[in-house]
Amino acid sequence: MFDPVIAPSGTLLGLLQRGRGDGTLHALTAPRAEALAALNHCVLSDPRHDWQVENRSLYYARLYLDLGGGLDAVEAHLFDTEDVLDTDESRTGLALAVLGHLASYGRRDALDLLRRYAATGSNWAWALDELALRDDDAGLRALAAPVLARFPAGAEGDAELAAVVRDAFEPRPWRLWAEDPREPIAARVRAAHETGCFDRWQRQLRPSGPRPGWSVAAVLEWAQQGVERGAALHVPAARCLTAVAAPEDRPEILRAARHGSEGARCTALRYLADAGDPAALELVEAAVADGTSPVVEAALDAFERMRALAAVDRARGWARRPDALGAAAGRVLACHGSAQDSDLVLAALREAVRGEGPDAPTLWTLVDGAGRLGIVCAAPVLRHVYRETASSRLRGRAARALAATDPSFATGFAVECLWDCEETTRELAARHAETGDARVVERLRRLAADPAEEDEVQTAVRSRIGPPDTPVG
């Protein structure tokens, strides 16, 4: 999947792609055709950089409801011939998730589309998971035959079916089909379930990797074998060292951290940093100076995991370095520094936005640090990140930092955050938004009554409002 093209933040499409609360508010005042076109664009061309951690489906489903939008464009997308050619779940996953939420709101057309797609579409397993949460037993039983028909009779088809049953995200349909009154269906599903359980048991009997009694050298060699296979194993290998290394093994580990192979060096650096070894900081600095890219990355990650006062003190000295170690030092201070480090964290935050833009990965930690330290002077930069980032998760972190640094947050961004796509951001807004705004009162009451809303959000809402006749506080 290619990185999505995100429209400017000041446009309706850009707001909706980002999942901002202002996107919904603008869409409800825009010409309906324009708003629906932008909404369909988002649903059919997933705008998220990481669909596994960012939420959009409930946000878009609610907007379909508010706009009274039809599903013709979604239907055409799902059943296009491209569905056969491009079977990547990212092509249809967001649309299916939106249909799932619409079905839970009582949209029968959404439920029918999910049923049709589960029977005939390439990403049928996702559609089936959505139906497992929302459809009745009769609807799910009707899908047993077309789903099982995807797995031809014979050893290969039965093995594929067993793997699908074993790894099913939502097991309800398979349990229902195992008790189906049609014996051929029930027998095949039960057999697949038994095979999957046996496969899992066999894998547990054949573990790979380090064994009790391994030496330090064997663990380091295992880590290097992972590098040669293209698998980074230094993190689990470092945990293994914790179990097998004795005090007399320290010289060998120190040599590996300075001169070892790539896998051994990464493993030793991680182990020494986690153990708080007094030589770890010098070895990290040396690795950054002369290590390969994986070694540098492992060294920086190991340094950022360190919690000791010595690591924080060293970070204060490294924070002004114009390299990756300086950036890592800024993140260490953001996480573990004190008020005296505010200027260094603010400088790192500004430099990251200036040099890498509002979606830089380092901003996640620096934004949190600005909020933790209550750096009031960071508010303008945080507002910029909030507006411009394409990541709804980073925007939520910026909102949390603004709540701690910006006195205008309660009457500004907190209001729009009540419509945000991320539940954690809506929860934050429910606790902070100024209720003198009539929109806030109405929105809080709607969130309180919405059965699709997350429990944490509704708990926050209830902390601000009581029963219908109770004044909002």
Side-chain angles (χ1 to χ4, degrees), residues 316-338:
R316 293 181 178 122
W318 286 343
R320 292 183 174 86
R321 290 177 53 143
D323 60 4
L325 186 55
R331 293 190 292 271
V332 168
L333 295 177
C335 291
H336 308 295
S338 60

Side-chain angles (χ1 to χ4, degrees), residues 399-400 403 409-410 412-420 422-436 439-448 453-466 472-473:
R400 190 180 308 115
F409 177 72
F413 285 139
V415 176
E416 82 155 90
C417 285
L418 288 169
W419 284 265
D420 197 87
E422 296 290 343
E423 65 266 18
T424 53
T425 306
R426 296 195 299 275
E427 178 187 355
L428 178 78
R431 298 189 185 281
H432 288 86
E434 175 55 58
T435 55
R439 295 176 303 169
V440 171
V441 177
E442 179 184 356
R443 183 61 175 171
L444 289 175
R445 296 206 185 281
R446 182 170 177 179
L447 292 175
E453 189 50 82
E454 297 291 335
D455 291 342
E456 292 80 1
V457 178
Q458 294 194 325
T459 298
V461 170
R462 284 194 291 270
S463 72
R464 302 291 299 280
I465 66 175
V472 176

Side-chain angles (χ1 to χ4, degrees), residues 391-417:
S391 168
S392 55
R393 299 298 292 273
L394 177 55
R395 182 178 64 252
R397 289 173 178 252
R400 190 180 308 115
L402 283 167
T405 60
D406 186 357
S408 70
F409 177 72
T411 56
F413 285 139
V415 176
E416 82 155 90
C417 285

Side-chain angles (χ1 to χ4, degrees), residues 208-228:
S208 60
R211 303 286 197 279
W214 271 31
S215 65
V216 167
V219 173
L220 296 176
E221 175 59 25
W222 178 65
Q224 179 58 25
Q225 291 172 0
V227 171
E228 294 166 1

Side-chain angles (χ1 to χ4, degrees), residues 307-393:
R307 305 289 187 267
L309 291 177
V312 176
D313 187 60
R314 188 67 63 92
R316 293 181 178 122
W318 286 343
R320 292 183 174 86
R321 290 177 53 143
D323 60 4
L325 186 55
R331 293 190 292 271
V332 168
L333 295 177
C335 291
H336 308 295
S338 60
Q340 73 181 89
D341 303 307
S342 294
D343 288 345
L344 291 174
V345 174
L346 177 59
L349 176 63
R350 287 172 171 165
E351 180 58 31
V353 173
R354 185 184 305 115
E356 302 178 58
D359 291 310
T362 189
L363 287 176
W364 291 59
T365 303
L366 296 175
V367 163
D368 285 350
R372 183 181 72 84
L373 296 172
I375 307 175
V376 175
C377 293
V381 184
L382 295 172
R383 286 194 290 265
H384 174 77
V385 173
Y386 177 96
R387 292 188 186 98
E388 299 300 328
T389 181
S391 168
S392 55
R393 299 298 292 273

Side-chain angles (χ1 to χ4, degrees), residues 209-211 213-229 231-246 248-272:
R211 303 286 197 279
W214 271 31
S215 65
V216 167
V219 173
L220 296 176
E221 175 59 25
W222 178 65
Q224 179 58 25
Q225 291 172 0
V227 171
E228 294 166 1
R229 297 196 309 269
L233 298 177
H234 64 277
V235 174
R239 290 197 295 267
C240 292
L241 281 186
T242 301
V244 305
E248 59 268 23
D249 295 312
R250 182 173 181 266
E252 180 180 1
I253 297 173
L254 291 175
R255 285 194 298 271
R258 187 65 185 89
H259 303 293
S261 63
E262 185 174 289
R265 196 171 185 186
C266 292
T267 300
L269 287 166
R270 176 73 170 230
Y271 167 79
L272 292 169

